[in-house]
Amino acid sequence: LAMFKSIRRCNTFIENIDKPVDLQSDEKIRWLAEVKFLKAYYYFYLLRMYGPLPIIDVNLPVNSSTDEVLVKRAPVDSVVNYMVRLIDEASPDLPMNIQDQAKELGRITRPIALAVKAQILATAASPLYNGNPDYSSLKNKDGEQLFNTVADPAKWDRAAAACLEAINLCIANGNRLHTFIPPANITVLSDSLKTVLSVQTSITEKWDVNPEIIWALNPVFPYQAFSGPKLTAKSILSDRQYPGTFAVPIAQQELFYTNHGVPINEDKTWDYANRYTLKTGDFNNRFYIGSGYETVKAHFNREPRFYADLGFDGGVWFGNGIVDQRNLYVLKGRGNSSLAGPKDNIRINVTGYWPKKLVNYLSVQDDGYVLSDFRLPVIRLAGLYLLYAEILNEQNKPYQEVLSYVDKVRQRAGLPGVVEAWSNFSNNATKYATQAGLRDIIHQETRIELAFEGQPGWDLRRWKKLQDVLSRPIQGWNIYETDAGNYYRPRTLFIPVFNLRNYLWPIRADNLIINNNLVQNPGW
């Protein structure tokens, strides 16, 4: 309902833009373009939730007839074409970048608009929306088909053109993958930690100086205090507003690659079968695991994004006021329920993993909390690279062309290219040479790179893979135990239920009664 209210406001704006007599021409042109983009984006958000939508191009007058008010759902392809038309109309009148960042950062630019257009067309080409047999019976009451029943490969061609245009425009506008440049107070920094910080700060660096961010949320990200652990004795006893309760399941931890850049169950040099046995941190792993600290073997020999994205028992934590790599915090997560005192369950991290990626290393929690704010990215150049690689693979382009975009992202993450990694270390050495194998690689790469940024869930949905992911138990460690041998026993927190019908939200029963021209989504 809120989205359709926003669409109505957009229509009201467009219909009345010529009325103010003191509105400058350049302001009018820019505002009109921004509103058209916002209208398209609201529709995109609704499309991902509900599928086919009524297209409300103009506001209905108050004296409209009953038949005019009872709008029906438009087919997915019509909704997609409508969104694309709005963005195409808006893009030429949007600025390339924001000149007055102090006042206007967050307003829409042409690179933002083209990047969203690429996302829209990639979504429309994806299995959930393109020839999905599960929706072959979804029709309006007049028999109009709401989903195309046969997959159309040309939709990937359209998405490819849009995505390449967006990438080229972003690069011409100065966007590039972010790398960490140590400030003056960090005099010594190992290559290992620099790579970790390059990954972390691609999210937490301020938008106005982060060349990777194409579009980010305003205002600042409000959940840092939920995303990090209590690292000091004072922080355990301090303000309850900073609970550190955001928890990452074991399954997400296991998604990250080994240090060779391949999945943990494919790396022929990595002891997958014994990953839950104990191992003690040593000198060679001192930048990742606390020296002399007993933790689980699965935490060793993982890719840099593992250590950038996750806080875990025994893990080294760069920041929280300490940036001397010889004296960093070691996260001690075992028995964390007892740290906060009896019955104080609000501070429990139920899995034993924190989304460290969402905490700025400059933020300090001790006797209180001093936050270094950041804006959570909506679209980063890395995500656009991976989206284009996915599209190219769906077009069945040669893997060399596809991987050139994947490897850009892997290189920043401190990993070898896909061909080198799989050829040398995977038990499926030629996986990248088939379209299906490369699809799996790109999907996993995307889920790793964009973890905790609000995007992978939508991707899993459009890939029709979310049902598989959410049919498995959600597990964490045995957090109430202080002994390592007892702590590192996976325990099931709950078993989610996600059926085919859950790919699309249901339409409220009240709306179906009020407007009998609307049809319900399948399964509801």
Side-chain angles (χ1 to χ4, degrees):
L1 181 61
M3 286 291 183
F4 277 107
K5 285 182 178 179
S6 296
I7 289 169
R8 181 176 179 83
R9 291 186 182 120
C10 289
N11 287 336
T12 300
F13 185 98
I14 293 168
E15 291 162 13
N16 292 277
I17 187 67
D18 291 323
K19 291 183 178 179
V21 294
D22 58 345
L23 186 61
Q24 298 295 319
S25 175
D26 57 341
E27 285 183 313
K28 173 182 171 181
I29 291 170
R30 184 181 177 189
W31 289 2
L32 190 59
E34 289 173 332
V35 169
K36 286 182 178 180
F37 168 84
L38 290 174
K39 190 177 176 184
Y41 192 75
Y42 297 146
Y43 267 105
F44 181 40
Y45 210 91
L46 288 166
L47 176 81
R48 293 187 295 182
M49 296 170 68
Y50 295 99
L53 301 164
I55 296 176
I56 314 297
D57 190 41
V58 295
N59 286 338
L60 295 174
V62 293
N63 60 350
S64 297
S65 67
T66 301
D67 289 342
E68 289 174 314
V69 171
L70 300 181
V71 295
K72 64 178 184 177
R73 302 173 76 176
V76 165
D77 288 348
S78 298
V79 179
V80 169
N81 290 334
Y82 180 65
M83 292 185 288
V84 169
R85 177 172 66 80
L86 287 171
I87 291 178
D88 285 343
E89 290 175 1
S91 296
D93 296 326
L94 293 169
M96 281 293 292
N97 48 55
I98 300 300
Q99 297 297 325
D100 188 350
Q101 294 187 340
K103 293 182 179 179
E104 295 189 349
L105 194 62
R107 292 183 68 174
I108 304 305
T109 62
R110 198 178 311 161
I112 292 172
L114 293 190
V116 170
K117 177 182 172 181
Q119 288 186 335
I120 290 170
L121 290 172
T123 298
S126 298
L128 184 66
Y129 298 93
N130 189 8
N132 185 353
D134 299 327
Y135 298 147
S136 60
S137 63
L138 183 57
K139 301 177 182 179
N140 277 325
K141 292 185 176 180
D142 59 7
E144 183 181 28
Q145 191 80 44
L146 293 178
F147 281 84
N148 59 310
T149 56
V150 178
D152 181 3
K155 292 184 177 182
W156 288 113
D157 299 336
R158 193 179 180 196
C163 198
L164 182 60
E165 183 184 9
I167 288 172
N168 288 339
L169 186 72
C170 289
I171 292 173
N173 200 39
N175 289 108
R176 64 184 186 277
L177 296 183
H178 168 80
T179 55
F180 180 68
I181 300 174
N185 66 318
I186 301 178
T187 55
V188 179
L189 189 68
S190 70
D191 289 342
S192 300
L193 285 174
K194 185 176 181 181
T195 302
V196 166
L197 286 164
S198 288
V199 173
Q200 254 187 291
T201 57
S202 68
I203 305 302
T204 61
E205 182 61 273
K206 293 186 182 300
W207 184 0
D208 55 345
V209 294
N210 186 345
E212 185 167 343
I213 294 179
I214 298 168
W215 191 22
L217 293 176
N218 267 335
V220 298
F221 180 66
Y223 298 114
Q224 273 198 77
F226 290 81
S227 303
K230 305 282 189 179
L231 293 167
T232 71
K234 288 182 179 179
S235 69
I236 294 167
L237 301 173
S238 70
D239 201 330
R240 291 170 180 261
Q241 294 178 8
Y242 309 104
T245 49
F246 280 9
V248 179
I250 289 177
Q252 178 67 32
Q253 173 265 106
E254 298 203 329
L255 190 69
F256 289 85
Y257 297 141
T258 70
N259 57 337
H260 295 136
V262 298
I264 60 175
N265 60 341
E266 287 187 30
D267 193 327
K268 56 191 179 184
T269 71
W270 203 79
D271 191 6
Y272 180 78
N274 295 308
R275 65 193 185 281
Y276 294 163
T277 59
L278 300 181
K279 184 175 179 178
T280 301
D282 55 23
F283 180 81
N284 291 335
N285 294 280
R286 66 194 182 280
F287 299 126
Y288 301 140
I289 309 287
S291 296
Y293 196 94
E294 193 174 34
T295 185
V296 74
K297 200 172 182 179
H299 295 159
F300 289 80
N301 300 318
R302 302 298 290 274
E303 62 159 309
R305 287 178 295 194
F306 177 90
Y307 302 106
D309 285 19
L310 297 175
F312 56 89
D313 178 52
V316 166
W317 190 283
F318 188 101
N320 200 56
I322 297 180
V323 294
D324 181 351
Q325 67 180 33
R326 298 162 297 185
N327 188 36
L328 299 174
Y329 286 106
V330 175
L331 199 169
K332 298 177 181 179
R334 297 203 291 267
N336 63 42
S337 61
S338 63
L339 296 180
K343 300 182 181 179
D344 193 2
N345 292 330
I346 191 171
R347 299 193 190 185
I348 296 176
N349 181 292
V350 296
T351 65
Y353 289 103
W354 288 260
K356 178 183 179 182
K357 183 183 193 178
L358 301 179
V359 180
N360 195 326
Y361 84 95
L362 295 170
S363 294
V364 178
Q365 181 184 185
D366 188 32
D367 188 8
Y369 210 143
V370 180
L371 289 175
S372 184
D373 288 323
F374 65 93
R375 289 164 172 80
L376 188 69
V378 179
I379 304 175
R380 292 193 284 127
L381 186 60
L384 212 52
Y385 280 155
L386 293 172
L387 181 64
Y388 190 48
E390 177 195 340
I391 294 168
L392 289 175
N393 186 56
E394 297 304 332
Q395 289 182 297
N396 212 12
K397 298 291 186 182
Y399 69 81
Q400 296 91 339
E401 182 180 353
V402 176
L403 290 178
S404 65
Y405 290 92
V406 178
D407 287 348
K408 291 177 190 292
V409 178
R410 289 172 63 91
Q411 183 180 20
R412 194 266 301 279
L415 295 175
V418 168
V419 173
E420 178 184 349
W422 260 260
S423 298
N424 292 325
F425 297 103
S426 175
N427 54 25
N428 187 1
T430 60
K431 183 177 182 178
Y432 59 82
T434 68
Q435 186 185 36
L438 188 50
R439 180 183 296 122
D440 286 344
I441 291 172
I442 294 169
H443 286 185
Q444 185 161 351
E445 190 77 41
T446 301
R447 291 181 64 194
I448 293 171
E449 178 64 29
L450 301 181
F452 317 136
E453 296 179 47
Q455 180 61 39
W458 295 117
D459 288 331
L460 285 165
R461 190 177 293 273
R462 67 181 177 85
W463 297 332
K464 287 190 69 178
K465 286 187 172 182
L466 193 55
Q467 188 176 11
D468 179 57
V469 171
L470 291 183
S471 64
R472 302 173 187 177
I474 301 298
Q475 293 188 313
W477 298 124
N478 197 7
I479 60 167
Y480 298 99
E481 298 293 337
T482 56
D483 175 72
N486 292 323
Y487 176 87
Y488 287 112
R489 293 180 179 177
R491 66 187 185 108
T492 296
L493 301 170
F494 65 95
I495 300 175
V497 176
F498 189 96
N499 298 314
L500 274 175
R501 72 175 189 170
N502 298 110
Y503 276 107
L504 295 178
W505 272 253
I507 296 173
R508 290 171 61 98
D510 289 351
N511 292 335
L512 295 172
I513 295 171
I514 294 169
N515 181 357
N516 59 15
N517 276 335
L518 293 177
V519 291
Q520 182 61 278
N521 278 327
W524 295 99

